[in-house]
Amino acid sequence: MTLHTDVTRQFLDDPRIYLTDGGFETSMVFHEGLDLPAFSAVVLLDDAGTRAAVTRYFERFLAIAEAAGTGFVLDTATWRAADHWAAAIGRPKAELRQLARASVAFAQALRARWEKRVDPILIEGVVGPAGDGYAPENLLAPDEAEALHAGQVRLLAEEGVDFIGAITMTHPGEAIGIVRAAQAAGVPAVVSFTVETDGRLPNGQTIGTAIAETDAATGARPLYYMINCAHPDHFAAELGQGDWRARIGGIRANASRLSHAELDRAEELDDGDPEEFGRLHAAFAGLMPGLKVTGGCCGTDHRHVGCVARHVVEPVVAVA
């Protein structure tokens, strides 16, 4: 049985498609010119100037949700904020935990300022992979992953997030561990898998088999699954068949058609074509009967999400 709270049940029952943000970290690096040690954005909450940049970023997307007449899923800046990232980020573990708490508080304050204009706003406590979200070098067993991530999941739950988002998962083992940690902490969870240019996870599995394995090991606990960090062309063909499509509740695609290896080597941002990005989402949105939230991932910003809102979200809101 899937774990629900009142707010998540309202969210899942709402016929509207909600919005979320775009490529947070890539926007901070390439558009704001900010330094992210080990690509960790949580450090931006440690300074008034960089906090202002984060506020500007998220408020652009909240304004799009307001104009579209829909709800919003607001992420915490905690994709790389767990204890095991402390050495790479150059911050003590205790300081990272405090920054993670500050990230939830930041999201809660932002929600309070916008909740009369965008309703509802759900806060997703983001948990990233133990290693590189583009590579499967750390293939964790579920028990190992649960032990590794339990501390961050518990902290986010205690601070009051609405659900946990296991983002950029490269294989089911780590996803299963995070879902189990969320269950132990009494908070729902969402799992987002990343895929390569062939539409398969970095470990070679299809999206459908990864979802089936995760559901089987967790009693179908995830609220829903997502696909993130790949261009729509990379996974559109995978959406053509299979009952597992009903479990896909979110899409956060990349702006670029480049492979993950090419993106790692890129020194300039490839932001693609925002209008095409929106049209591509419209073309395959009908293949996902359970779609609940959409936004962007690497290389995307408010322009891309604005186009998705116009092509995908606003038509659904008008019908609802």
Side-chain angles (χ1 to χ4, degrees), residues 22-33 36 39 57 61 134 229 253-258 262-274 296-304:
F24 178 37
E25 289 85 1
T26 53
S27 290
M28 293 298 101
V29 171
F30 291 99
H31 295 320
E32 296 287 347
L36 301 185
F39 217 51
Y57 169 83
F61 296 96
Y134 283 175
C229 218
N254 280 358
S256 174
R257 287 182 169 84
L258 294 176
E262 290 170 327
L263 287 172
D264 270 341
R265 295 192 298 268
E267 296 182 0
E268 295 183 359
L269 184 67
D270 179 2
D271 59 3
D273 180 344
C297 202
C298 296
T300 63
D301 54 42
H302 61 285
R303 297 170 300 156
H304 303 78

Side-chain angles (χ1 to χ4, degrees), residues 10 14 16 18 70-72 114-121:
Q10 176 189 357
D14 193 334
R16 298 176 298 172
Y18 287 26
T70 194
F72 193 82
W114 279 82
E115 61 187 354
K116 292 183 179 179
R117 299 160 62 183
V118 178
D119 181 40
I121 299 172

Side-chain angles (χ1 to χ4, degrees), residues 67-145:
T70 194
F72 193 82
V73 175
L74 178 58
D75 281 1
T76 59
T78 51
W79 183 68
R80 282 189 175 170
D83 284 0
H84 58 271
W85 284 105
I89 295 170
R91 301 289 185 102
K93 293 179 181 178
E95 188 174 326
L96 272 188
R97 293 174 199 148
Q98 188 55 40
L99 286 170
R101 293 186 181 95
S103 181
V104 180
F106 174 88
Q108 290 169 335
L110 195 57
R111 174 167 64 182
R113 292 199 300 275
W114 279 82
E115 61 187 354
K116 292 183 179 179
R117 299 160 62 183
V118 178
D119 181 40
I121 299 172
L122 292 91
I123 297 176
E124 179 177 44
V126 174
V127 176
D132 189 340
Y134 283 175
E137 77 275 10
N138 292 322
L139 294 177
L140 302 181
D143 288 349
E144 184 183 9

Side-chain angles (χ1 to χ4, degrees), residues 208-225:
T209 58
I211 288 174
E213 182 177 337
T214 306
D215 267 352
T218 62
R221 288 283 178 172
L223 293 175
Y224 55 86
Y225 291 86

Side-chain angles (χ1 to χ4, degrees), residues 245 281-289 291:
R245 291 180 300 160
H281 278 71
F284 65 64
L287 299 174
M288 294 172 287
L291 186 63

Side-chain angles (χ1 to χ4, degrees), residues 7-8 26 41 81 107 128 136 161 182 200 209 234 247 259 267:
V7 69
T8 57
T26 53
V161 301
R200 291 174 175 261
T209 58
H234 296 165
R247 291 290 278 142
S259 69
E267 296 182 0

